[in-house]
Amino acid sequence: MYHIALKMLMGDRGKYLGIVMGLTFASLIMTQQPAIFLGLMTRTFSFISDVGLPDIWVMDSKVQFVDDIKPLQDTELYRVRGISGVEWAMPMYKGMLKARLADGTFQTCIVIGLDDATLIGGPPVMLQGKLEDLRRSDAVIVDIDGAKDKLAKPSATPGGKTKPLQIGDDLELNDRRAIVVGMSKVSRTFQAQPVVYTTYSRAKNYAPRERKLLSFVLVKAKKGQDLAQLTKRIRETTGLAAYTSSEFKDLTYRYFMKNTGIPINFGISVTLGFIVGAAIAGQTFYNFTLENLRQFGVLKAMGTSNWVLLKMILLQAILVGSIGYGLGVGLTALFGYSMRNTILAFRFPWQLLIFSGAGISLICVFAAIISILKVIRLEPAVVFKG
Amino acid sequence: MESNTAVSCRNVVKVYDTGGQKVTALNDIDLEIRMGELMMLVGPSGCGKTTLISVIAGILDQDEGSCEVFGKNLLTLRNHEKLDFRAKNIGFVFQAYNLLPSLTAAENVSVPLIINGMKRVEAERKASQLLEQVGLGERTASLPSQLSGGQQQRVAIARALVHDPRLIVCDEPTSALDHETGHTVMELLKDVALHKDRVLVIVTHDARIFNFADRIAAMDDGHILKVVNSAAQL
């Protein structure tokens, strides 16, 4: 009977496509919008992900997220180094500074100052030049996206295309000269500002004069150390906040979830997608069953049981659900792929497939149940009505 | 019940509740139909003909009385037994053909066999043979929309016969057809469908086909007025 169910479903091409399109739309919205949401939220802590080496981040206890810098005194670094279980502890400067471009305009940059000796906390990928080149005079490393876009040099001819910043070019950071010695690839940040790496001591020169300039102390635990115990020890000894990388990501993520409208906005989009998709697909599928009610009545009169009819309708729902879901997630993946080199945030983990799959299944089960109820209640004698 | 009695209805009453208003569709119906017989139920619209064949075919339960088909009181059968009984013993021919529009002629005819558990390929092979018998050997792969009314009704007759049922119920089988096609369909029913181990019950108000009947039950207002042997006696 299953081939009959499939032929009934596909026999009316218009309705069949209507149901599939409704489910595709629902699946697309339920996958693409959360993927953008996840992409944005991942950007909130992308800097922490990029700095892969340290186990623990130490900072002022009032820091709420990664960009909420509350500087420490440099002496805190030595206090942390003195705590048992710490393999090494390195300073890091992170701040927003204005860069003066060749055409005289200003661009705010995220300036990262790395420990002068070890350069720990540097960019995850070097595209041109070497990290060690930062030891040269006035050296900075610029992220490639920033170099091509916001830090790009103006065209020699008016209205012409801008030229990407290159190795050897210079900038002014807070009225001090900075020479580009390398290009790096970093994860895009939430603020989408260019990222400029330099040494800690040079970063302090670039930054406006302040009593305290140390943003973070990056800590590596000794082998075999329990990270929870070590962070507790650092907190108790220094009175500072200490988080493992994943705890710091969580802190940042929760801050954005709680204090911005992002989750609500995307939540509304996803919910609307689900409701509209459910309404379109559910209604079309129900109408399809209603229009085939006479055919189901004929099958019932000829001796087909409700159980078999139920399986036929479920098969139809599963088929349109699978095709709609496949097309929806396929379009989402295509969207993500085509946007991979743009500023758009997009993250498509496998868990999202389960989320949207569950949503589509819910729509199909709902549509199938209301259709099945109609068929089960159907009197086979309806076949004799003209 | 006599041994050659196929259908025996005794004091059958069926009342419909249409929004609080009771309508008696069948009122104390007594009817016997013998094996090998073509019985026609005739009468004006709304007289209860269709309700009576629905009860006889086991797709509608009467409120009172009994209706035995091949010795089985359908009202006492459990639901799955009734389904099984219908699947094996009853063939249906409808006024509007009721073919599944997305299935080919052969696939439509094979449906009762598949319901009875036959494999699809074997069922379609048997269906094609029967379509040959009803003169549609060339149209086995045609969809209903590609067939004329007469051809669709022949497909419907083949579907009613394919699983070799003992009772065939036909609801107005010729009313949607012109006189000549209707005549051909009736000849087909009489020649191919009817034999000594089968009974045909045809509901009609098409007087042009009354002469095909072995007996005619004239109905009005939920009653059987009389059962006669020829149209002339009506």
Side-chain angles (χ1 to χ4, degrees):
Chain A
M1 297 300 285
Y2 298 128
H3 82 284
I4 295 175
L6 297 181
K7 282 215 157 190
M8 282 170 77
L9 176 67
M10 294 175 192
D12 189 338
R13 288 284 161 87
K15 291 224 165 44
Y16 170 60
L17 288 176
I19 302 168
V20 169
M21 284 300 115
L23 289 167
T24 301
F25 170 76
S27 167
L28 175 67
I29 296 285
M30 278 192 282
T31 318
Q32 185 239 27
Q33 289 293 305
I36 293 175
F37 169 71
L38 286 177
L40 270 179
M41 295 316 287
T42 304
R43 283 186 183 180
T44 62
F45 54 77
S46 62
F47 177 69
I48 307 170
S49 306
D50 279 359
V51 183
L53 212 49
D55 297 322
I56 295 169
W57 293 63
V58 181
M59 64 207 77
D60 186 274
S61 57
K62 297 288 191 299
V63 168
Q64 298 179 82
F65 60 105
V66 69
D67 300 312
D68 179 31
I69 305 296
K70 295 189 168 62
L72 310 169
Q73 284 185 340
D74 278 359
T75 50
E76 300 292 1
L77 173 66
Y78 304 108
R79 293 181 69 198
V80 174
R81 279 179 178 163
I83 294 168
S84 71
V86 172
E87 173 79 34
W88 48 252
M90 300 299 165
M92 173 176 268
Y93 170 85
K94 183 171 186 283
M96 304 285 274
L97 298 180
K98 277 185 180 166
R100 188 169 187 273
L101 307 183
D103 61 355
T105 58
F106 289 90
Q107 170 62 51
T108 306
C109 300
I110 300 169
V111 175
I112 310 295
L114 313 175
D115 175 57
D116 292 46
T118 61
L119 300 177
I120 281 172
V125 179
M126 285 298 296
L127 298 174
Q128 294 170 36
K130 296 193 296 279
L131 187 59
E132 299 78 52
D133 293 339
L134 278 183
R135 296 199 176 99
R136 284 154 57 181
S137 173
D138 299 330
V140 293
I141 292 170
V142 180
D143 87 277
I144 191 78
D145 295 318
K148 283 180 179 170
D149 184 21
K150 291 179 175 162
L151 296 178
K153 293 179 287 185
S155 167
T157 55
K161 278 180 74 175
T162 56
K163 282 172 65 183
L165 201 66
Q166 288 174 334
I167 289 179
D169 290 338
D170 55 7
L171 316 155
E172 271 182 34
L173 283 170
N174 206 11
D175 291 334
R176 286 181 172 79
R177 188 170 182 243
I179 300 169
V180 179
V181 296
M183 291 290 163
S184 66
K185 180 74 190 165
V186 299
S187 304
R188 282 189 188 271
T189 60
F190 193 72
Q191 294 102 327
Q193 308 289 10
V195 182
V196 176
Y197 287 90
T198 187
T199 59
Y200 182 70
S201 57
R202 201 173 298 129
K204 287 204 293 185
N205 285 333
Y206 290 141
R209 282 272 151 243
E210 282 186 60
R211 197 164 59 84
K212 298 187 276 187
L213 283 168
L214 177 64
S215 308
F216 301 107
V217 178
L218 308 180
V219 173
K220 183 76 178 173
K222 278 186 178 158
K223 209 169 182 182
Q225 273 292 316
D226 181 73
L227 291 182
Q229 289 294 324
L230 184 55
T231 51
K232 190 172 172 228
R233 216 156 37 239
I234 294 171
R235 279 197 296 269
E236 286 172 355
T237 310
T238 61
L240 302 172
Y243 303 106
T244 61
S245 293
S246 62
E247 284 171 348
F248 195 24
K249 285 178 191 174
D250 279 351
L251 183 78
T252 301
Y253 178 81
R254 279 201 302 273
Y255 175 85
F256 278 88
M257 286 293 280
K258 194 177 165 189
N259 295 291
T260 68
I262 299 169
I264 294 171
N265 289 332
F266 279 91
I268 289 169
S269 291
V270 173
T271 309
L272 274 180
F274 180 81
I275 292 170
V276 173
I280 295 172
Q283 182 66 34
T284 321
F285 191 77
Y286 181 62
N287 281 347
F288 164 79
T289 307
L290 280 189
E291 284 169 22
N292 285 309
L293 216 49
R294 197 178 184 83
Q295 297 179 33
F296 285 117
V298 170
L299 293 173
K300 226 172 174 179
M302 290 197 291
T304 308
S305 66
N306 279 333
W307 174 237
V308 172
L309 294 175
L310 182 148
K311 287 193 285 183
M312 287 171 73
I313 291 172
L314 269 181
L315 175 69
Q316 291 172 335
I318 288 168
L319 182 80
V320 291
S322 305
I323 294 173
Y325 170 68
L327 285 174
V329 295
L331 285 172
T332 303
L334 196 66
F335 172 83
Y337 182 75
S338 60
M339 295 289 167
R340 69 192 182 284
N341 291 325
T342 68
I343 199 164
L344 188 95
F346 189 84
R347 188 157 181 255
F348 196 1
W350 61 268
Q351 290 90 338
L352 204 50
L353 290 173
I354 294 176
F355 171 77
S356 55
I360 292 298
S361 302
L362 210 60
I363 292 174
C364 291
V365 166
F366 171 71
I369 283 174
I370 54 171
S371 300
I372 285 164
L373 287 177
K374 192 80 187 170
V375 170
I376 285 175
R377 289 185 192 133
L378 176 71
E379 282 284 346
V382 72
V383 292
F384 283 133
K385 288 179 183 153
Chain B
M1 192 169 68
E2 291 173 32
S3 59
N4 71 337
T5 299
V7 179
S8 173
C9 295
R10 292 274 172 265
N11 311 114
V12 171
V13 175
K14 178 69 190 176
V15 180
Y16 291 115
D17 190 345
T18 53
Q21 197 184 351
K22 306 273 186 195
V23 177
T24 305
L26 298 177
N27 196 351
D28 205 21
I29 294 285
D30 283 322
L31 181 68
E32 283 206 358
I33 306 171
R34 295 185 284 267
M35 290 299 286
E37 185 175 45
L38 193 161
M39 166 68 83
M40 279 189 190
L41 304 178
V42 305
S45 294
C47 70
K49 310 183 294 284
T50 300
T51 301
L52 183 54
I53 56 161
S54 297
V55 170
I56 291 170
I59 57 175
L60 190 67
D61 291 338
Q62 70 271 29
D63 297 316
E64 289 174 34
S66 70
C67 190
E68 290 191 2
V69 182
F70 308 120
K72 285 199 188 295
N73 185 347
L74 299 182
L75 208 57
T76 62
L77 294 181
R78 295 162 83 164
N79 194 39
H80 71 274
E81 290 171 330
K82 203 186 276 186
L83 282 172
D84 194 49
F85 182 83
R86 284 209 303 265
K88 287 188 166 56
N89 294 292
I90 300 174
F92 292 89
V93 178
F94 307 100
Q95 178 183 359
Y97 325 128
N98 283 346
L99 300 174
L100 304 187
S102 46
L103 303 189
T104 64
E107 286 169 338
N108 263 295
V109 174
S110 69
V111 169
L113 295 172
I114 292 168
I115 291 172
N116 278 297
M118 190 181 278
K119 291 266 182 267
R120 187 179 151 199
V121 176
E122 174 64 9
E124 283 182 22
R125 192 189 54 76
K126 199 172 173 196
S128 298
Q129 285 173 356
L130 198 59
L131 281 170
E132 195 93 43
Q133 251 182 291
V134 299
L136 290 172
E138 304 291 308
R139 308 306 300 269
T140 56
S142 300
L143 292 170
S145 58
Q146 296 163 327
L147 301 171
S148 68
Q151 287 173 324
Q152 287 189 56
Q153 197 58 297
R154 278 193 276 164
V155 173
I157 290 169
R159 181 177 67 180
L161 292 172
V162 72
H163 54 307
D164 202 18
R166 289 188 287 168
L167 168 65
I168 295 177
V169 291
C170 310
D171 183 39
E172 306 278 7
T174 60
S175 64
L177 305 173
D178 61 56
H179 176 69
E180 195 183 329
T181 313
H183 206 267
T184 312
V185 163
M186 282 311 297
E187 279 178 343
L188 189 67
L189 279 170
K190 186 106 185 176
D191 298 344
V192 180
L194 194 59
H195 56 69
K196 66 180 177 56
D197 295 323
R198 184 178 286 155
V199 58
L200 259 72
V201 183
I202 297 177
V203 162
T204 186
H205 58 245
D206 184 356
R208 300 169 301 180
I209 63 166
F210 285 177
N211 56 337
F212 284 93
D214 295 319
R215 287 195 300 153
I216 301 171
M219 293 184 70
D220 196 10
D221 205 16
H223 294 278
I224 290 181
L225 302 177
K226 56 185 171 181
V227 180
V228 297
N229 291 322
S230 72
Q233 296 172 288
L234 284 172

